[in-house]
Amino acid sequence: MTNPVFLVGAFGLALVLTLMGFMAPAAVLSEIISVWNLSNAQAGWLGGALFIGYIATVPILTAYTDRIDPKHIYLTFAVVGAIGNFGFAFVADDLWSGVGFRVLTGVGLAGTFMPGLKALSDQLPPGRVQQRGSTYYSSFFALGSGGSILIAGVSAQYLDWQWPFAFAGIGGLVAFTIISIVLPAKQPEPVAKSMGAALDFRPVLRDRAVMSYVFSSFGTAWEVFSARVWLVTFFMFIQSRLPADQVGWPPPVWATLVALIGVPAAMIVGELCVRYERQKILMIVAIVSALLAGMIGVLVDGGYELTILLCLVFGISSYGRSAAINAGTIAAADPARRGSALAVLAFIGFSGGVIGPLAFGLALDTFGGAAEPLAWKIAMAVIAVGGIITLLSLHLGAKARKSRVTTV
């Protein structure tokens, strides 16, 4: 079972299953807001709660993949994530109980996504195979997060809003089964155990090449997850301004398409980054993404079809660079500290997934609420900040590398 194609496919399927509840709140957010009587800012907390659990634990769990078998970490926290989803479905009944179970779901993700990437990269031969495998695995994140919106929207339509989270819990248990079968046990190399404290991240923090990818990941997560949390609500807003016979597909379907279009986009961008200069490719994509977010806001009063088209292209540019950033981090990191590098990437990078959706919700509340076009214009400008952060971090990282080469 060490064939690279088989391993990447199996890990990708497991990732999709563990992500079934990832963006499920976005598909039923309006119903949760109504049932639990939430403000938009409180809904932003609910949307970002998963990331709180994620960033609080991912540095520890991912860093320790340099010390202990990643398989043990993955299997344990696949179960934790399933418990979080089941709890949100059957126990949560208000904002803070919901936040608590979403935090627990984030802890489960912390023990599966990046540790899964580390476990997979350890099984792949170094070089282009490893970079492609890492890119393709990370690309499945868009499939899982986008699919979670669609599954939640459809199942909530025919059942109730709690059922998407119950299905997500089942998905986590199936992922547990897959990885327990396909992933060989692998003890870390002795060198990794002798490199000081497992949670000493100072060597990684001093590595400018790695940190340029880390901060670019922060900007990408800010942008991607603001869109993931709020796009369904945004599409509901623009559809509410249309005659009933012009509405078209439901908002969860459009939001899913925006997410799913990121899967092939991420693979294409990743392949371009393998063939050409990674930093330049990613900077170009980041510029396009920031411009598109701004255009969506400016044209929120424009045509419905144009807005949908811009959102789809935005899905390409926003998520298209995420997987390539993960692969770039792996390529730039010291192999013996790869787990620590991914831990820093996950902690700082995914912090954008907390701050972005919250900033978006605050912008809506500050400028008139979700029924006010001006509020959506400002909120879309908030999303554009993510692309600018990505651009600046990669640009400064490239300048640092050039200065080092010139000095040498």
Side-chain angles (χ1 to χ4, degrees), residues 308-328:
I308 291 292
L309 177 61
L310 289 174
C311 287
L312 290 171
V313 181
F314 173 77
I316 293 173
S317 61
S318 62
Y319 195 81
R321 64 185 191 269
S322 181
I325 288 172
N326 291 347

PDB file of all heavy atoms in Angstrom, residues 308-328:
ATOM      1  N   ILE A 308     -22.152  36.373  -9.489  1.00  0.00           N
ATOM      2  CA  ILE A 308     -21.899  34.935  -9.383  1.00  0.00           C
ATOM      3  C   ILE A 308     -20.609  34.567 -10.107  1.00  0.00           C
ATOM      4  O   ILE A 308     -19.765  33.809  -9.585  1.00  0.00           O
ATOM      5  CB  ILE A 308     -23.082  34.133  -9.970  1.00  0.00           C
ATOM      6  CG1 ILE A 308     -24.328  34.280  -9.093  1.00  0.00           C
ATOM      7  CG2 ILE A 308     -22.707  32.657 -10.128  1.00  0.00           C
ATOM      8  CD1 ILE A 308     -24.229  33.622  -7.744  1.00  0.00           C
ATOM      9  N   LEU A 309     -20.422  35.092 -11.309  1.00  0.00           N
ATOM     10  CA  LEU A 309     -19.215  34.799 -12.082  1.00  0.00           C
ATOM     11  C   LEU A 309     -17.966  35.255 -11.348  1.00  0.00           C
ATOM     12  O   LEU A 309     -16.966  34.511 -11.266  1.00  0.00           O
ATOM     13  CB  LEU A 309     -19.296  35.471 -13.450  1.00  0.00           C
ATOM     14  CG  LEU A 309     -18.060  35.317 -14.357  1.00  0.00           C
ATOM     15  CD1 LEU A 309     -17.808  33.840 -14.672  1.00  0.00           C
ATOM     16  CD2 LEU A 309     -18.233  36.127 -15.633  1.00  0.00           C
ATOM     17  N   LEU A 310     -17.992  36.462 -10.792  1.00  0.00           N
ATOM     18  CA  LEU A 310     -16.834  36.969 -10.057  1.00  0.00           C
ATOM     19  C   LEU A 310     -16.540  36.108  -8.831  1.00  0.00           C
ATOM     20  O   LEU A 310     -15.369  35.864  -8.496  1.00  0.00           O
ATOM     21  CB  LEU A 310     -17.075  38.417  -9.638  1.00  0.00           C
ATOM     22  CG  LEU A 310     -17.058  39.461 -10.755  1.00  0.00           C
ATOM     23  CD1 LEU A 310     -17.465  40.833 -10.209  1.00  0.00           C
ATOM     24  CD2 LEU A 310     -15.684  39.538 -11.404  1.00  0.00           C
ATOM     25  N   CYS A 311     -17.589  35.641  -8.166  1.00  0.00           N
ATOM     26  CA  CYS A 311     -17.385  34.780  -6.992  1.00  0.00           C
ATOM     27  C   CYS A 311     -16.739  33.451  -7.390  1.00  0.00           C
ATOM     28  O   CYS A 311     -15.879  32.924  -6.669  1.00  0.00           O
ATOM     29  CB  CYS A 311     -18.705  34.525  -6.281  1.00  0.00           C
ATOM     30  SG  CYS A 311     -19.346  35.950  -5.364  1.00  0.00           S
ATOM     31  N   LEU A 312     -17.129  32.907  -8.535  1.00  0.00           N
ATOM     32  CA  LEU A 312     -16.534  31.656  -8.998  1.00  0.00           C
ATOM     33  C   LEU A 312     -15.058  31.837  -9.327  1.00  0.00           C
ATOM     34  O   LEU A 312     -14.209  31.008  -8.956  1.00  0.00           O
ATOM     35  CB  LEU A 312     -17.288  31.142 -10.221  1.00  0.00           C
ATOM     36  CG  LEU A 312     -18.703  30.610  -9.973  1.00  0.00           C
ATOM     37  CD1 LEU A 312     -19.420  30.351 -11.287  1.00  0.00           C
ATOM     38  CD2 LEU A 312     -18.657  29.334  -9.134  1.00  0.00           C
ATOM     39  N   VAL A 313     -14.717  32.929 -10.010  1.00  0.00           N
ATOM     40  CA  VAL A 313     -13.309  33.194 -10.321  1.00  0.00           C
ATOM     41  C   VAL A 313     -12.527  33.472  -9.034  1.00  0.00           C
ATOM     42  O   VAL A 313     -11.374  33.060  -8.886  1.00  0.00           O
ATOM     43  CB  VAL A 313     -13.178  34.370 -11.305  1.00  0.00           C
ATOM     44  CG1 VAL A 313     -11.714  34.619 -11.648  1.00  0.00           C
ATOM     45  CG2 VAL A 313     -13.956  34.088 -12.574  1.00  0.00           C
ATOM     46  N   PHE A 314     -13.176  34.145  -8.089  1.00  0.00           N
ATOM     47  CA  PHE A 314     -12.553  34.376  -6.783  1.00  0.00           C
ATOM     48  C   PHE A 314     -12.243  33.044  -6.095  1.00  0.00           C
ATOM     49  O   PHE A 314     -11.200  32.904  -5.446  1.00  0.00           O
ATOM     50  CB  PHE A 314     -13.479  35.219  -5.910  1.00  0.00           C
ATOM     51  CG  PHE A 314     -13.010  35.372  -4.490  1.00  0.00           C
ATOM     52  CD1 PHE A 314     -11.987  36.250  -4.170  1.00  0.00           C
ATOM     53  CD2 PHE A 314     -13.586  34.629  -3.470  1.00  0.00           C
ATOM     54  CE1 PHE A 314     -11.556  36.388  -2.859  1.00  0.00           C
ATOM     55  CE2 PHE A 314     -13.164  34.758  -2.163  1.00  0.00           C
ATOM     56  CZ  PHE A 314     -12.140  35.642  -1.854  1.00  0.00           C
ATOM     57  N   GLY A 315     -13.131  32.066  -6.229  1.00  0.00           N
ATOM     58  CA  GLY A 315     -12.862  30.752  -5.646  1.00  0.00           C
ATOM     59  C   GLY A 315     -11.607  30.122  -6.218  1.00  0.00           C
ATOM     60  O   GLY A 315     -10.861  29.440  -5.515  1.00  0.00           O
ATOM     61  N   ILE A 316     -11.354  30.364  -7.506  1.00  0.00           N
ATOM     62  CA  ILE A 316     -10.138  29.842  -8.142  1.00  0.00           C
ATOM     63  C   ILE A 316      -8.899  30.502  -7.549  1.00  0.00           C
ATOM     64  O   ILE A 316      -7.931  29.837  -7.177  1.00  0.00           O
ATOM     65  CB  ILE A 316     -10.194  30.082  -9.661  1.00  0.00           C
ATOM     66  CG1 ILE A 316     -11.304  29.251 -10.292  1.00  0.00           C
ATOM     67  CG2 ILE A 316      -8.853  29.757 -10.315  1.00  0.00           C
ATOM     68  CD1 ILE A 316     -11.538  29.544 -11.760  1.00  0.00           C
ATOM     69  N   SER A 317      -8.920  31.826  -7.451  1.00  0.00           N
ATOM     70  CA  SER A 317      -7.716  32.550  -7.024  1.00  0.00           C
ATOM     71  C   SER A 317      -7.473  32.444  -5.527  1.00  0.00           C
ATOM     72  O   SER A 317      -6.318  32.443  -5.087  1.00  0.00           O
ATOM     73  CB  SER A 317      -7.831  34.024  -7.423  1.00  0.00           C
ATOM     74  OG  SER A 317      -8.952  34.630  -6.787  1.00  0.00           O
ATOM     75  N   SER A 318      -8.528  32.355  -4.720  1.00  0.00           N
ATOM     76  CA  SER A 318      -8.340  32.335  -3.271  1.00  0.00           C
ATOM     77  C   SER A 318      -7.815  30.984  -2.798  1.00  0.00           C
ATOM     78  O   SER A 318      -6.735  30.895  -2.207  1.00  0.00           O
ATOM     79  CB  SER A 318      -9.647  32.686  -2.555  1.00  0.00           C
ATOM     80  OG  SER A 318     -10.643  31.725  -2.843  1.00  0.00           O
ATOM     81  N   TYR A 319      -8.574  29.922  -3.095  1.00  0.00           N
ATOM     82  CA  TYR A 319      -8.112  28.620  -2.633  1.00  0.00           C
ATOM     83  C   TYR A 319      -7.011  28.054  -3.523  1.00  0.00           C
ATOM     84  O   TYR A 319      -6.255  27.182  -3.093  1.00  0.00           O
ATOM     85  CB  TYR A 319      -9.259  27.604  -2.540  1.00  0.00           C
ATOM     86  CG  TYR A 319      -8.823  26.417  -1.724  1.00  0.00           C
ATOM     87  CD1 TYR A 319      -8.850  26.474  -0.337  1.00  0.00           C
ATOM     88  CD2 TYR A 319      -8.309  25.285  -2.335  1.00  0.00           C
ATOM     89  CE1 TYR A 319      -8.390  25.415   0.412  1.00  0.00           C
ATOM     90  CE2 TYR A 319      -7.857  24.219  -1.578  1.00  0.00           C
ATOM     91  CZ  TYR A 319      -7.900  24.291  -0.207  1.00  0.00           C
ATOM     92  OH  TYR A 319      -7.427  23.255   0.531  1.00  0.00           O
ATOM     93  N   GLY A 320      -6.872  28.576  -4.725  1.00  0.00           N
ATOM     94  CA  GLY A 320      -5.878  28.043  -5.651  1.00  0.00           C
ATOM     95  C   GLY A 320      -4.463  28.093  -5.142  1.00  0.00           C
ATOM     96  O   GLY A 320      -3.614  27.307  -5.579  1.00  0.00           O
ATOM     97  N   ARG A 321      -4.180  28.996  -4.220  1.00  0.00           N
ATOM     98  CA  ARG A 321      -2.796  29.120  -3.737  1.00  0.00           C
ATOM     99  C   ARG A 321      -2.547  28.401  -2.411  1.00  0.00           C
ATOM    100  O   ARG A 321      -1.394  28.288  -1.981  1.00  0.00           O
ATOM    101  CB  ARG A 321      -2.418  30.586  -3.614  1.00  0.00           C
ATOM    102  CG  ARG A 321      -3.202  31.389  -2.603  1.00  0.00           C
ATOM    103  CD  ARG A 321      -2.802  32.864  -2.665  1.00  0.00           C
ATOM    104  NE  ARG A 321      -3.326  33.649  -1.574  1.00  0.00           N
ATOM    105  CZ  ARG A 321      -4.489  34.288  -1.605  1.00  0.00           C
ATOM    106  NH1 ARG A 321      -5.254  34.216  -2.677  1.00  0.00           N
ATOM    107  NH2 ARG A 321      -4.896  34.998  -0.570  1.00  0.00           N
ATOM    108  N   SER A 322      -3.599  27.916  -1.770  1.00  0.00           N
ATOM    109  CA  SER A 322      -3.452  27.346  -0.430  1.00  0.00           C
ATOM    110  C   SER A 322      -2.588  26.090  -0.421  1.00  0.00           C
ATOM    111  O   SER A 322      -1.653  25.958   0.374  1.00  0.00           O
ATOM    112  CB  SER A 322      -4.828  27.042   0.156  1.00  0.00           C
ATOM    113  OG  SER A 322      -4.717  26.508   1.454  1.00  0.00           O
ATOM    114  N   ALA A 323      -2.901  25.139  -1.316  1.00  0.00           N
ATOM    115  CA  ALA A 323      -2.159  23.872  -1.331  1.00  0.00           C
ATOM    116  C   ALA A 323      -0.699  24.101  -1.704  1.00  0.00           C
ATOM    117  O   ALA A 323       0.202  23.444  -1.160  1.00  0.00           O
ATOM    118  CB  ALA A 323      -2.810  22.906  -2.315  1.00  0.00           C
ATOM    119  N   ALA A 324      -0.447  25.018  -2.638  1.00  0.00           N
ATOM    120  CA  ALA A 324       0.931  25.294  -3.049  1.00  0.00           C
ATOM    121  C   ALA A 324       1.741  25.921  -1.917  1.00  0.00           C
ATOM    122  O   ALA A 324       2.953  25.716  -1.819  1.00  0.00           O
ATOM    123  CB  ALA A 324       0.937  26.211  -4.271  1.00  0.00           C
ATOM    124  N   ILE A 325       1.087  26.686  -1.054  1.00  0.00           N
ATOM    125  CA  ILE A 325       1.768  27.250   0.112  1.00  0.00           C
ATOM    126  C   ILE A 325       2.176  26.135   1.075  1.00  0.00           C
ATOM    127  O   ILE A 325       3.294  26.126   1.615  1.00  0.00           O
ATOM    128  CB  ILE A 325       0.865  28.283   0.809  1.00  0.00           C
ATOM    129  CG1 ILE A 325       0.763  29.546  -0.054  1.00  0.00           C
ATOM    130  CG2 ILE A 325       1.399  28.630   2.199  1.00  0.00           C
ATOM    131  CD1 ILE A 325      -0.253  30.550   0.441  1.00  0.00           C
ATOM    132  N   ASN A 326       1.281  25.161   1.305  1.00  0.00           N
ATOM    133  CA  ASN A 326       1.627  24.027   2.163  1.00  0.00           C
ATOM    134  C   ASN A 326       2.805  23.245   1.596  1.00  0.00           C
ATOM    135  O   ASN A 326       3.743  22.882   2.323  1.00  0.00           O
ATOM    136  CB  ASN A 326       0.427  23.093   2.312  1.00  0.00           C
ATOM    137  CG  ASN A 326      -0.699  23.703   3.111  1.00  0.00           C
ATOM    138  OD1 ASN A 326      -0.519  24.723   3.772  1.00  0.00           O
ATOM    139  ND2 ASN A 326      -1.875  23.108   3.047  1.00  0.00           N
ATOM    140  N   ALA A 327       2.763  22.984   0.271  1.00  0.00           N
ATOM    141  CA  ALA A 327       3.858  22.248  -0.361  1.00  0.00           C
ATOM    142  C   ALA A 327       5.158  23.048  -0.307  1.00  0.00           C
ATOM    143  O   ALA A 327       6.238  22.472  -0.115  1.00  0.00           O
ATOM    144  CB  ALA A 327       3.494  21.930  -1.807  1.00  0.00           C
ATOM    145  N   GLY A 328       5.068  24.363  -0.458  1.00  0.00           N
ATOM    146  CA  GLY A 328       6.259  25.199  -0.362  1.00  0.00           C
ATOM    147  C   GLY A 328       6.880  25.162   1.017  1.00  0.00           C
ATOM    148  O   GLY A 328       8.110  25.182   1.167  1.00  0.00           O
TER     149      GLY A 328
END
